[in-house]
Amino acid sequence: MNVTASRPSCYGQLDKVFPMQADGLRRTPEPCVPCPHKTECLREAAEGRGRLAMAEERINRAYASGSMGFFDRWLQKKTIARKKSEETD
């Protein structure tokens, strides 16, 4: 049996399986809860391309809450931008 063929089309797509809510946090939508692929799907979404987007979101929340200073934020965002450019090359 081909495991890839049995996965839904939304598998591993961060914005579909773990979308940003109005409060600025990500949550699993109700249709994904009973899915047998949920755990692996969320893991792949968070470790794949979505890992850099989620890291940026954490940095922005930390800066907004005051638990991270400007220089640390700048340095971490610069590192993420470099990683993004390496992935596209």
Side-chain angles (χ1 to χ4, degrees):
M1 181 173 122
N2 187 351
V3 176
T4 306
S6 67
R7 294 177 179 162
S9 62
C10 58
Y11 186 90
Q13 295 179 22
L14 184 65
D15 289 331
K16 290 185 179 181
V17 298
F18 204 44
M20 182 71 69
Q21 303 296 309
D23 62 2
L25 299 174
R26 292 186 177 273
R27 289 191 185 83
T28 304
E30 286 298 318
C32 292
V33 173
C35 180
H37 304 285
K38 182 180 80 164
T39 302
E40 298 86 18
C41 175
L42 289 171
R43 185 174 295 127
E44 187 168 318
E47 291 174 355
R49 293 177 150 192
R51 81 183 190 291
L52 296 176
M54 291 176 62
E56 255 184 318
E57 292 164 8
R58 281 191 299 272
I59 291 166
N60 291 337
R61 282 194 304 270
Y63 181 69
S65 71
S67 63
M68 177 183 286
F70 174 81
F71 183 73
D72 287 333
R73 176 182 173 268
W74 175 82
L75 183 63
Q76 290 188 29
K77 286 188 82 95
K78 185 79 171 170
T79 302
I80 289 172
R82 189 176 308 122
K83 287 179 183 179
K84 282 182 178 179
S85 99
E86 288 172 1
E87 285 184 2
T88 58
D89 290 343

